[in-house]
Amino acid sequence: MYTVNTMRNNRVAVVGAGLAGLTAAYRILKEGKHIVDIYESQPDIGGRVQSRTIQGQKVDFGGFLMYPWYEHAHQLFSDLQIADILVSTPHSDIFYFLDDSGVALRENEIPFPVGDGLRIWTKSFFKILPKSDLAAPDLERFENKTTSEYLRSVLDTQGHAGLYETFFDTVNQGYCYGPVNQGKAAFMMPIVRQIQFHGDIRTTSFFPQGAETLTEHLKREIFSLGGNIHCNTLITGIGEKALTSESKTFDFDSVVFAQNVSHEIYQSLLPNIQIQCTYTRFIAVAVRLPKIPIVGNSQDWGAAFYVPTAQPSFQTLSIINLGALYGAALDGCVLMNIVLRDDETTTYTIADATRIAHAELHRLFADIHSVETLDFVHWKTTMPIAQEAFIHAVRDAHGKNGIYFAGDFLGAPSIETAIATGDMAAESVIAALD
């Protein structure tokens, strides 16, 4: 427990109670010198960390895997004394459907062309070898290329880069990132480096009672340190030393803006640039099946990834076997990550999610007829697809007029980047106010 300084003078506002905002608030409050208020437009905190109770077990509908190289995240877990709660992710088989043949392959069964692999490795080695901060990557290292453009350049082809590009795209979109012909290599290749050098999914861990373990502990510490969280409070404007909501104006010395980029305030904060950051859109649907379907001649599978197609409105891009992940209480249950490609203004209900999930399951597994929808989340802004010019502009604006930025759009999107940018914003605020 930390001692709360009752003689604080500086007021800090944090806009957004996702991981980046919560981390920034916690780090600033630990200094014991500043008053901190968090404003969140939604009823709950957590952002893309969402744990729901399914059959008595907490299930994550958003980010939950913790890689060993998540340095900022693991330091935060240690500070909150929750590191010991993490458990290793079960080593169940992961299968990939890389074409329309219906053939499921483990990664070690994929027939990657040896020559292409050697060219990618030798031509990329000196670009990937230097460490790039996930939260503040070198924006020039990959020459403004998308991941597709980068792969095609190293393989010296004008067209599709073959199986490697297909695999990258399948994995990226299966994790709810954008297509590789849109996502920039500057943001994705630092993740590839860390996975290659410091641990892939087989080395990950997770919180068995949901990633909300982290956000709830952060909330508890924020309150114990004298901070305040105001949910259902939409901030509509940021002026000099002040925030405006729908009904009030709040005075502050500094503001950490940790909302997603779709928030209209970004344009007012950066009036001279075009906002260059879009988001993928997904629904995550948990369903109970009469039995777990066979994938790759196995019922003991952990996840399946499906190659993205030109399917117009929606498509299942990954499925998680919840029984394999969480245990027997969820046997027969799966979580479907379904990309949405229709009008972004559409709001989905559980009836819509049920209809889509049923259609997708019948398409993927013809023998599945009886399906019960357990819960779903409509992710209107799932993962950011940022452009380098926009990130340069945000970096240039950081700290001006007492406004600081945090959020995983600033780097390679992940739990680590959200926490790291929260740490970075807090450090900047603390240094400026001391």
Side-chain angles (χ1 to χ4, degrees):
M1 186 68 67
Y2 303 96
T3 301
V4 177
N5 182 354
T6 58
M7 300 299 292
R8 299 173 180 179
N9 295 313
N10 296 307
R11 298 187 65 88
V12 179
V14 177
V15 182
L19 267 184
L22 292 172
T23 300
Y26 168 64
R27 295 298 188 199
I28 294 167
L29 283 164
K30 277 185 66 178
E31 287 291 297
K33 299 178 181 180
H34 313 298
I35 301 167
V36 179
D37 286 87
I38 306 172
Y39 297 93
E40 170 57 50
S41 62
Q42 300 301 310
D44 302 305
I45 66 168
R48 289 196 294 276
V49 172
Q50 289 282 336
S51 307
R52 303 286 183 85
T53 301
I54 303 291
Q55 299 185 177
Q57 167 66 50
K58 287 290 186 179
V59 171
D60 284 307
F61 282 65
F64 72 98
L65 290 177
M66 310 298 176
Y67 285 84
W69 37 268
Y70 278 9
E71 296 177 5
H72 287 262
H74 285 286
Q75 181 60 57
L76 180 60
F77 304 158
S78 178
D79 291 349
L80 296 172
Q81 300 182 7
I82 58 174
D84 292 343
I85 302 176
L86 288 166
V87 299
S88 297
T89 306
H91 290 178
S92 301
D93 285 329
I94 299 174
F95 288 95
Y96 302 89
F97 293 82
L98 299 178
D99 54 33
D100 59 4
S101 68
V103 175
L105 299 171
R106 300 172 180 86
E107 186 172 350
N108 63 3
E109 297 171 338
I110 300 172
F112 292 113
V114 175
D116 286 357
L118 288 172
R119 279 192 290 275
I120 292 170
W121 180 247
T122 55
K123 291 184 179 182
S124 301
F125 183 76
F126 289 107
K127 285 184 180 291
I128 294 177
L129 183 61
K131 185 176 180 180
S132 184
D133 190 338
L134 292 176
D138 180 348
L139 298 178
E140 319 304 332
R141 189 177 298 179
F142 294 91
E143 302 158 356
N144 203 35
K145 289 183 171 70
T146 66
T147 304
S148 284
E149 289 169 339
Y150 178 71
L151 287 172
R152 295 174 189 187
S153 70
V154 297
L155 292 177
D156 196 23
T157 179
Q158 297 300 312
H160 193 276
L163 196 53
Y164 275 100
E165 183 171 342
T166 297
F167 179 71
F168 267 72
D169 199 32
T170 302
V171 173
N172 262 31
Q173 295 201 55
Y175 280 110
C176 304
Y177 291 107
V180 292
N181 63 0
Q182 296 178 23
K184 291 304 186 74
F187 303 115
M188 299 313 299
M189 295 310 286
I191 294 180
V192 173
R193 177 197 186 277
Q194 293 299 93
I195 288 174
Q196 291 296 318
F197 293 164
H198 299 293
D200 61 13
I201 192 171
R202 292 168 294 184
T203 67
T204 60
S205 55
F206 71 105
F207 290 106
Q209 290 303 314
E212 71 171 20
T213 299
L214 170 58
T215 55
E216 288 300 311
H217 275 76
L218 275 170
K219 180 174 73 172
R220 189 180 308 161
E221 286 298 303
I222 287 167
F223 286 149
S224 74
L225 292 167
N228 300 294
I229 300 176
H230 311 272
C231 290
N232 293 308
T233 304
L234 176 65
I235 298 301
T236 57
I238 298 180
E240 186 173 354
K241 305 279 187 180
L243 296 180
T244 303
S245 73
E246 293 173 311
S247 59
K248 296 180 180 179
T249 297
F250 310 94
D251 295 327
F252 288 95
D253 298 288
S254 296
V255 175
V256 176
F257 196 67
Q259 287 277 30
N260 63 55
V261 180
S262 63
H263 201 290
E264 61 185 18
I265 291 178
Y266 261 99
Q267 194 63 69
S268 66
L269 293 176
L270 305 170
N272 298 321
I273 71 159
Q274 180 181 0
I275 300 297
Q276 295 176 306
C277 184
T278 58
Y279 283 83
T280 60
R281 296 181 300 112
F282 278 75
I283 53 173
V285 189
V287 299
R288 180 165 52 212
L289 309 175
K291 61 178 181 179
I292 286 296
I294 300 294
V295 174
N297 296 318
S298 171
Q299 278 191 311
D300 186 27
W301 53 275
F305 288 76
Y306 297 87
V307 64
T309 68
Q311 202 165 321
S313 297
F314 52 82
Q315 182 193 356
T316 300
L317 295 183
S318 59
I319 299 180
I320 300 171
N321 182 348
L322 296 178
L325 180 62
Y326 293 104
L330 293 177
D331 281 348
C333 300
V334 300
L335 182 72
M336 308 170 66
N337 291 309
I338 304 172
V339 68
L340 303 173
R341 303 189 180 109
D342 58 358
D343 185 349
E344 65 182 20
T345 63
T346 302
T347 298
Y348 286 82
T349 66
I350 193 165
D352 298 321
T354 298
R355 172 180 54 80
I356 292 170
H358 285 204
E360 284 292 276
L361 284 166
H362 185 66
R363 180 178 66 83
L364 296 171
F365 309 107
D367 60 336
I368 296 294
H369 301 289
S370 174
V371 179
E372 178 187 356
T373 301
L374 302 171
D375 206 344
F376 91 109
V377 173
H378 178 196
W379 297 109
K380 294 182 179 180
T381 52
T382 314
M383 285 299 216
I385 307 172
Q387 306 299 313
E388 293 95 333
F390 171 63
I391 302 306
H392 274 304
V394 175
R395 289 180 180 179
D396 290 343
H398 186 77
K400 293 181 179 178
N401 300 315
I403 300 173
Y404 303 82
F405 296 90
D408 65 3
F409 67 89
L410 290 169
S414 64
I415 287 174
E416 169 68 3
T417 305
I419 293 171
T421 59
D423 282 341
M424 292 161 58
E427 290 170 3
S428 298
V429 169
I430 291 165
L433 293 178
D434 276 355

